[in-house]
Amino acid sequence: MSLPPEKASELKQIIHNHLLKMDIHGKIREVLAETVRDDQGPAHRSLSEADFLRALQCRGIIDDVMKDLHFTQVNQPFSNIDPSRRCLYLQVLGGKAFLEHLQEPEPLPGQVCSTFTLYLHFRNQRFRSKPVPCACEPNLEEGFLLEIHKDGIGEGSKMADATTMLSMCDPVHLVLIKTDTSSETTLVSSYFLDWRTVLSSPSGKTCFAVELMGVGSECKVPAGVLTVSLELYPPLTETLSSDIISTQQSLERQRTAEKERLFLVYAKQWWREFLEIRPSHQSKMVKIFAQDENGISRPVCSYVRVLRAGRLLESPRQAARFVSLLAHEKAPVVGGGGSKQEQWCTLMAFLCRGKGDCEDHATLLCSLLLGFGLDAYVCVGTKAKGVPHTWVLTRGTDGSITFWESLAAHRYLHKAIDPDAPPLAPQPKHSSPYRTVGCVFNHQTFLANCQPSDAVEICVFDFQNQSRWKAMSEEALKSVCAPGSITSLPLLPPLCAPSLDPAASSNQLELEMRYLVSEHRKDLDLATVWDDHLSYLLSSALSAYELERCTGVSCGNEEFQDAVRRAVPDGHTFKGFPIHFLHRSARRAFATCLRSPFCQEIVCCRGDHVRLAVRVRVFVYPENACAVWLMFACKYRSVL
């Protein structure tokens, strides 16, 4: 591929600088003098250029030059791609005006500091940048090669021309995450970039500044500015005028605004009808709209989609386990007063941050269960003491109702109590922690509870019965919630396979734990002798615990108990303490363990012939979500 003029001159300059550095002119003079001297004699002839090049080659000068001249590939992203497929090369050329970090000192070499990481999603493709230290002008410089046609979206075999690409309204979703020194993540900004301005650039390349706004209560406050360059490869033969692009964008905005207006008119009318059924409905938790991280109000049904996890998750229960491993954190509020900041996150922002509120967990679990072919819905209601909560419900073909707690992967079979039954008639026991339910919804259904009481224990989930559940029009919901219905709807990102090595992570954490235990015992003037065989035996117990969390079935406990009995001699006592974490920080885990008197007893064990054991098992799920199981154990001779 021919180089553009600016790249060619840059390459010449690199070569020139390198030749000067190795004093090539001096070496050439030496070789020239030697060659002339050797060729002076009776058969004197004039030196040709070929003779001189041969002399340079013989003395290894050319080899030295080529050996020391290391090229990073020029135009690197375009080197290994199919020239028959259209690609967009997005470069981030640095950040500025991140004023929150104005006073941030320059990090010292090797110092642990807070970092920024930029995540991208575009048409089924996800990328992440290298983490860079947080600063007012962070050194965010990275290139991402995005395929315009990807995984069945569009005609993959056909080169996309300018007109085809103009009709592609899918933006590039940029999510900026801050990770502090204790590995806690914060969502800094979530931005949708319309890349189509590049279609009007004669050179096929454009560069501009992107102002990132904050999130939640700070969604109107600028967070910082990124300089972004876009380049199409192969370049377009015919570009579009900027007027055509702005007209297309304007038409899309108008179409979206009109659909949203019509849905709002319908929703208001529907709500009035719902209130006319019973005045008490005013206080029911019927949630039709919810604000995302950018403060944009969207119908709740748009937060749920059918999400298939490919080979990354094997079953609905494993999906529930995965969702429960994403940490629970309420949206931050500036100031007190106990008010709850409402913030339902887009799936991309939730996955990149690795934590979110109960609504984020419930919508993700519902999406995954729909992907596994279940009839799943998100429930909006309350827990004990009237605390607002969301969870997931699935309906079996036999009419059975199962509640799924997305924060803990617990499942509850729901059987309604009949309030009209005779006083002594046997009634099912209410087992779930949920108290009231106001509405249920999924990607294409919205139903409000219009039963006389919204108490979960007497609620009948017979969605076809219009006297119990008032449904919204599926057509109206489809007009604003179906994929591609409006341009403001973010596309669903695919789940990412884990990049952590579970064995290496387990070993590392176990070594750190051994060190912390030894140091703690040293402070108590206690020696530490490790029993490697006993440590190894603890693995089967940890594996069984995780399997039980995934499947709800306990197995393998008999073999573990038998192995321990064989490993602990007669007259000795065995004690074990298992614990579960969602993080991989050894110090935080050890501090938590020491708060338990049972663990204190083991770690600080005194006695005759004391042997200690510790085993760590890190179970890795998609998005690098981790279930960390840790078990301390000891055996010692019992002395009466």
Side-chain angles (χ1 to χ4, degrees):
M1 189 171 72
S2 61
L3 289 174
E6 68 273 14
K7 291 286 183 191
S9 59
E10 190 182 325
L11 184 59
K12 284 178 188 171
Q13 187 61 46
I14 291 168
I15 294 170
H16 176 71
N17 292 346
H18 180 70
L19 294 177
L20 283 176
K21 192 175 166 185
M22 62 182 296
D23 189 26
I24 194 70
H25 296 108
K27 290 183 180 178
I28 288 174
R29 275 194 294 274
E30 285 172 26
V31 174
L32 186 59
E34 281 178 40
T35 312
V36 170
R37 207 166 41 245
D38 292 348
D39 279 15
Q40 282 176 346
H44 177 69
R45 62 184 177 80
S46 61
L47 273 172
S48 68
E49 191 178 328
D51 294 331
F52 184 56
L53 282 172
R54 204 176 300 115
L56 286 172
Q57 213 158 0
C58 290
R59 286 164 178 78
I61 302 292
I62 292 175
D63 286 344
D64 288 348
V65 171
M66 297 313 290
K67 187 171 68 186
D68 292 343
L69 193 59
H70 296 297
F71 288 109
T72 54
Q73 280 182 293
V74 180
N75 242 6
Q76 196 175 8
F78 302 148
S79 57
N80 298 319
I81 63 167
D82 182 353
S84 67
R85 302 287 291 270
R86 185 81 70 192
C87 287
L88 177 70
Y89 183 46
L90 185 151
Q91 269 183 298
V92 180
L93 304 173
K96 57 187 178 189
F98 284 83
L99 300 180
E100 199 171 309
H101 301 278
L102 194 60
Q103 306 299 325
E104 206 91 6
E106 279 287 311
L108 299 167
Q111 181 189 352
V112 178
C113 61
S114 300
T115 58
F116 282 139
T117 308
L118 185 67
Y119 294 81
L120 271 79
H121 169 232
F122 178 67
R123 296 178 75 100
N124 238 19
Q125 303 156 81
R126 283 180 62 186
F127 303 88
R128 61 176 287 175
S129 72
K130 294 188 292 289
V132 300
C134 291
C136 182
E137 297 190 355
N139 191 28
L140 275 164
E141 294 181 3
E142 197 107 14
F144 307 94
L145 192 63
L146 317 175
E147 276 190 44
I148 301 288
H149 285 315
K150 182 73 180 169
D151 292 351
I153 306 178
E155 298 174 61
S157 58
K158 188 181 170 187
M159 171 75 79
D161 59 13
T163 314
T164 308
M165 288 191 284
L166 182 63
S167 66
M168 295 177 187
C169 52
D170 310 328
V172 180
H173 191 178
L174 306 175
V175 174
L176 186 64
I177 298 289
K178 176 187 173 182
T179 309
D180 69 16
T181 50
S182 59
S183 299
E184 286 295 315
T185 55
T186 311
L187 177 61
V188 177
S189 185
S190 171
Y191 184 86
F192 293 93
L193 173 70
D194 194 329
W195 53 277
R196 291 174 294 180
T197 49
V198 75
L199 301 176
S200 65
S201 170
S203 63
K205 192 172 181 178
T206 182
C207 188
F208 50 90
V210 168
E211 185 176 44
L212 301 179
M213 304 305 280
V215 294
S217 56
E218 298 175 26
C219 62
K220 301 281 191 289
V221 182
V225 175
L226 291 181
T227 305
V228 172
S229 157
L230 298 175
E231 185 176 358
L232 277 176
Y233 178 78
L236 289 171
T237 47
E238 285 183 33
T239 57
L240 302 172
S241 78
S242 53
D243 290 346
I244 290 174
I245 295 169
S246 57
T247 304
Q248 172 72 15
Q249 290 168 334
S250 176
L251 281 170
E252 287 169 0
R253 280 195 296 271
Q254 285 169 18
R255 266 201 302 267
T256 292
E258 181 60 13
K259 284 183 177 181
E260 288 174 341
R261 187 189 69 80
L262 289 172
F263 180 75
L264 183 59
V265 169
Y266 167 75
K268 283 179 175 176
Q269 176 62 30
W270 181 93
W271 177 245
R272 276 195 296 272
E273 291 168 5
F274 181 65
L275 292 183
E276 283 168 10
I277 298 170
R278 208 173 275 112
S280 61
H281 284 180
Q282 182 75 49
S283 60
K284 283 196 176 182
M285 293 200 66
V286 178
K287 187 92 179 145
I288 303 171
F289 295 93
Q291 287 191 353
D292 66 11
E293 67 267 24
N294 290 326
I296 294 167
S297 193
R298 296 200 278 123
V300 290
C301 295
S302 68
Y303 289 89
V304 176
R305 305 277 180 87
V306 178
L307 179 59
R308 294 183 182 88
R311 303 274 181 194
L312 300 179
L313 295 168
E314 302 293 340
S315 68
R317 294 193 188 190
Q318 196 181 29
R321 177 64 174 148
F322 156 64
V323 174
S324 72
L325 294 174
L326 298 167
H328 176 224
E329 183 180 276
K330 288 180 166 56
V333 179
V334 178
S339 60
K340 180 179 182 289
Q341 169 71 33
E342 184 195 73
Q343 184 180 303
W344 292 37
C345 275
T346 57
L347 180 55
M348 179 68 178
F350 177 38
L351 293 176
C352 295
R353 187 169 161 235
K355 59 185 178 185
D357 213 335
C358 58
E359 296 90 357
D360 304 321
H361 287 79
T363 52
L364 173 55
L365 178 57
C366 185
S367 299
L368 287 166
L369 295 183
L370 288 167
F372 277 111
L374 299 183
D375 187 21
Y377 302 81
V378 174
C379 299
V380 179
T382 61
K383 291 192 296 185
K385 297 180 182 173
V387 176
H389 192 62
T390 55
W391 66 97
V392 178
L393 167 155
T394 53
R395 293 196 313 159
T397 50
D398 58 354
S400 62
I401 300 294
T402 305
F403 293 147
W404 303 64
E405 176 46 67
S406 56
L407 297 177
H410 295 155
R411 297 164 70 253
Y412 308 93
L413 195 63
H414 171 72
K415 285 189 168 63
I417 293 170
D418 182 3
D420 301 324
L424 296 176
Q427 294 275 23
K429 191 172 182 298
H430 182 61
S431 61
S432 78
Y434 316 119
R435 294 292 168 262
T436 67
V437 57
C439 64
V440 302
F441 66 89
N442 62 17
H443 60 309
Q444 53 193 20
T445 308
F446 185 93
L447 298 144
N449 183 0
C450 50
Q451 294 166 67
S453 167
D454 58 0
V456 170
E457 58 186 4
I458 59 171
C459 186
V460 178
F461 291 91
D462 172 12
F463 296 150
Q464 278 66 46
N465 188 332
Q466 294 179 7
S467 67
R468 288 193 168 123
W469 295 93
K470 179 170 173 59
M472 268 196 170
S473 152
E474 289 199 5
E475 282 303 309
L477 289 168
K478 201 182 288 183
S479 71
V480 286
C481 297
S485 57
I486 54 174
T487 52
S488 60
L489 272 188
L491 283 175
L492 205 63
L495 292 183
C496 277
S499 58
L500 284 174
D501 178 345
S505 300
S506 302
N507 286 340
Q508 176 65 30
L509 201 47
E510 193 171 303
L511 285 170
E512 290 175 26
M513 277 298 171
R514 282 195 173 206
Y515 171 76
L516 291 170
V517 170
S518 299
E519 289 297 301
H520 186 72
R521 287 176 64 82
K522 198 184 287 181
D523 292 342
L524 301 172
D525 292 327
L526 295 171
T528 307
V529 183
W530 294 102
D531 186 329
D532 291 338
H533 177 60
L534 186 58
S535 295
Y536 179 70
L537 297 185
L538 303 179
S539 283
S540 63
L542 301 183
S543 183
Y545 297 149
E546 182 59 21
L547 192 64
E548 187 177 354
R549 289 287 177 103
C550 260
T551 62
V553 179
S554 177
C555 63
N557 203 31
E558 304 82 3
E559 293 92 335
F560 168 64
Q561 289 180 359
D562 191 54
V564 167
R565 283 191 196 101
R566 292 168 61 83
V568 178
D570 286 343
H572 282 63
T573 300
F574 169 84
K575 287 181 180 178
F577 174 78
I579 191 166
H580 172 253
F581 296 99
L582 302 185
H583 61 79
R584 290 177 295 121
S585 166
R587 288 189 182 278
R588 271 172 66 196
F590 190 56
T592 305
C593 291
L594 287 181
R595 285 201 285 273
S596 161
F598 300 109
C599 184
Q600 276 271 17
E601 229 173 81
I602 294 168
V603 171
C604 308
C605 182
R606 297 169 184 267
D608 185 23
H609 210 71
V610 174
R611 295 291 179 268
L612 291 167
V614 64
R615 193 65 169 170
V616 175
R617 276 286 271 115
V618 178
F619 297 88
V620 182
Y621 288 80
E623 303 292 328
N624 282 340
C626 289
V628 178
W629 283 98
L630 165 69
M631 191 166 187
F632 290 111
C634 68
K635 63 177 184 180
Y636 56 92
R637 183 178 284 132
S638 306
V639 180
L640 292 172

